[in-house]
Amino acid sequence: MSISDSDISSALSAYLARYPDDAVSLSEPLRLLAEGAGFASRRNFSMHVTVGALLVCGTDVLLVDHLAYGIPLQPGGHLEAADSTLISAAARELVEETGVDPSGLFPASEVPVYVEYGKVPARPAKDEPEHFQLDFGYSFVTARAEVGHIQETEVRSAAWYPLSTAQRLVGRRIARAVTTPA
């Protein structure tokens, strides 16, 4: 993996500098990062990193109907060996899952707008036991983006949702995507 544990720690530190109220909920990932290694690898089941992308156009947010979870979510997924930064991994996932043209996407901030730590159920078909993920979400803006060819192995569809609907479906991370400081 090109993304190191140091890169992950730096991104988490930058996030906590901007959103210090989240420090308590992220205390376990902080401890794991200080004591362990290899968190960019999907096969690290003590915790591994994933990324998400919130694409905003005006007051609309692009969400996908996620196959594995059966609910609308922001595009995202696991890191790949070719990923060089967390934000570029988030952009890659966004483009892969929704087919939007990457030339019209711009990061709203280099700092994640959300970081969430949580337990993921076992997936026997992927030989994955119950494990923990640390998900870094980045906000991108666009003046216009049409959904293209979706990644049918991971999503059923992709669609634009008004902010209020997206917040109801996905939660507070949506508001930060729309209001994040540059």
Side-chain angles (χ1 to χ4, degrees):
M1 294 277 164
S2 295
I3 297 173
S4 70
D5 291 337
S6 176
D7 297 330
I8 295 165
S9 292
S10 293
L12 186 53
S13 293
Y15 173 80
L16 289 172
R18 184 170 286 171
Y19 303 107
D21 291 347
D22 288 356
V24 171
S25 66
L26 296 172
S27 61
E28 182 63 9
L30 285 167
R31 185 191 67 75
L32 289 168
L33 281 164
E35 296 177 1
F39 297 108
S41 171
R42 178 183 191 144
R43 302 306 296 173
N44 186 335
F45 297 120
S46 64
M47 176 182 78
H48 62 260
V49 170
T50 57
V51 291
L54 293 163
L55 181 58
V56 178
C57 182
T59 58
D60 290 338
V61 178
L62 185 61
L63 300 177
V64 296
D65 184 4
H66 199 279
L67 283 174
Y69 295 109
I71 58 173
L73 288 173
Q74 69 282 356
H78 290 90
L79 303 180
E80 295 182 0
D83 292 329
S84 58
T85 65
L86 292 172
I87 196 168
S88 67
R92 174 188 51 76
E93 285 288 341
L94 172 61
V95 171
E96 283 178 0
E97 291 186 1
T98 67
V100 298
D101 180 359
S103 68
L105 307 179
F106 303 94
S109 171
E110 294 293 320
V111 175
V113 294
Y114 72 84
V115 178
E116 295 176 343
Y117 174 70
K119 189 182 289 188
V120 177
R123 291 187 187 162
K126 292 192 174 196
D127 191 31
E128 294 178 352
E130 181 178 85
H131 60 279
F132 289 87
Q133 287 182 174
L134 183 63
D135 189 44
F136 286 82
Y138 291 89
S139 179
F140 298 86
V141 295
T142 186
R144 181 171 171 264
E146 294 187 25
V147 173
H149 180 74
I150 61 168
Q151 189 176 34
E152 294 174 346
T153 57
E154 296 188 20
V155 301
R156 273 188 255 283
S157 62
W160 290 97
Y161 290 82
L163 174 60
S164 60
T165 303
Q167 283 181 302
R168 185 176 44 79
L169 293 169
V170 179
R172 72 182 177 104
R173 68 184 82 122
I174 296 295
R176 283 190 183 165
V178 175
T179 61
T180 189

